[in-house]
């Protein structure tokens, strides 16, 4: 199914952008390019999940989502992967732990939109995630205030990396997180599906 695990060497900083990508769209491309610039990442890996445990309805086939995402995300420093399917992990905490084991010396940064930070405390083993890797949070339309006042932002407020230091986020020892505002793009996978433009 996959093309093998992507290559990374010790010392590199890799951003991880997970999701169902059902379908991938220009917004995903936009935040990926911004994350590369804002957080000083060497590469970004899209982790196209077999399924999202927080969603009741299953996505399109993994093969279809991978093919679409690979056709859309054309960048020499971005890899579209099925890492979770290959590793046999279901939850983010499991995936990160498995990657850290397989890539000693590589620094990972978990990337997410501000909407995900607002409900991050609902994720399985969420404390383990933030204790393992820095979080790079990118603002999206309508999600700035809920994210900044979220449970995670309050509990880990002292570990927030200032915007001016965000470029070196990957070298910070977890827990660490940074919130950056980026030019907005109002597009979502659910809107694309509702319009019948996918499947």
């Amino acid at each position: 199914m996959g093309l093998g695990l992507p290559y990374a060497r010790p010392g590199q900083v890799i951003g991880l952008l997970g999701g169902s990508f059902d379908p991938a769209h220009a917004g995903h491309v936009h935040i990926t390019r911004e994350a590369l610039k804002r957080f000083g990442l060497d590469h970004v890996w899209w982790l196209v999940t077999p399924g999202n445990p927080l969603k009741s309805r299953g996505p399109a086939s993994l093969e279809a989502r991978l093919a679409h995402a690979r056709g859309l995300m054309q960048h020499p420093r971005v890899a579209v992967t099925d890492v979770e399917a290959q590793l046999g992990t279901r939850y983010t905490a499991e995936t990160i732990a498995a990657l850290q084991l397989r890539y000693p010396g590589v620094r990972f940064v978990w990337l997410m939109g501000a909407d995900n930070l607002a409900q991050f405390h609902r994720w399985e083993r969420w404390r383990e995630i933030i204790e393992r890797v820095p979080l790079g949070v990118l603002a999206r339309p309508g999600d700035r205030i809920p994210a900044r006042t979220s449970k995670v932002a309050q509990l880990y407020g002292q570990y927030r990396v200032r915007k001016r230091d965000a470029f070196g986020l990957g070298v910070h020892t977890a827990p660490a997180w940074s919130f950056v505002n980026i030019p907005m793009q109002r597009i979502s996978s659910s809107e694309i599906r509702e319009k019948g433009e996918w499947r």
Side-chain angles (χ1 to χ4, degrees):
M1 179 188 302
L3 300 177
L5 294 176
Y7 173 77
R9 63 179 183 271
Q12 287 189 319
V13 181
I14 308 294
L16 303 174
L17 183 64
S20 57
F21 295 96
D22 187 33
H25 53 68
H28 294 126
V29 174
H30 174 63
I31 65 171
T32 299
R33 291 178 179 273
E34 289 293 326
L36 283 164
K37 289 190 302 185
R38 304 297 183 97
F39 299 128
L41 307 173
D42 293 306
H43 297 275
V44 171
W45 296 351
W46 283 14
L47 308 184
V48 182
T49 62
N52 184 339
L54 294 180
K55 294 182 179 179
S56 57
R57 190 175 67 84
S61 74
L62 179 57
E63 292 84 355
R65 289 179 287 126
L66 280 169
H68 178 74
R70 286 173 177 152
L72 182 69
M73 184 70 252
Q74 300 289 324
H75 193 287
R77 290 162 53 204
V78 181
V80 177
T81 77
D82 60 347
V83 161
E84 289 185 319
Q86 293 188 59
L87 296 175
T89 56
R90 183 175 182 199
Y91 295 104
T92 299
E94 295 174 333
T95 302
I96 291 171
L99 287 173
Q100 288 177 325
L101 187 65
R102 283 162 176 78
Y103 294 90
V106 173
R107 295 180 173 270
F108 292 103
V109 173
W110 187 259
L111 304 173
M112 64 172 66
D115 56 330
N116 279 320
L117 184 66
Q119 50 93 44
F120 188 61
H121 60 281
R122 293 177 50 210
W123 291 28
E124 185 81 11
R125 293 158 51 187
W126 65 272
R127 286 182 184 272
E128 179 182 341
I129 299 170
I130 198 171
E131 297 284 343
R132 278 188 174 274
V133 295
L135 304 181
V137 185
L138 301 117
R140 301 204 318 180
D143 296 316
R144 295 179 183 184
I145 294 175
R148 288 177 173 161
T149 59
S150 68
K151 182 176 180 177
V152 176
Q154 292 174 15
L155 290 175
Y156 287 88
Q158 63 181 312
Y159 300 106
R160 182 173 178 180
V161 176
R162 292 172 296 187
K163 184 164 51 175
R164 69 182 184 210
D165 298 321
F167 189 80
L169 179 62
V171 301
H172 285 264
T173 300
W177 63 284
S178 185
F179 184 104
V180 297
N181 294 312
I182 62 174
M184 300 299 190
Q185 286 207 353
R186 295 183 179 276
I187 183 172
S188 72
S189 297
S190 57
E191 289 175 358
I192 294 172
R193 292 194 305 271
E194 287 169 7
K195 291 178 180 177
E197 298 173 358
W198 174 243
R199 287 187 198 269

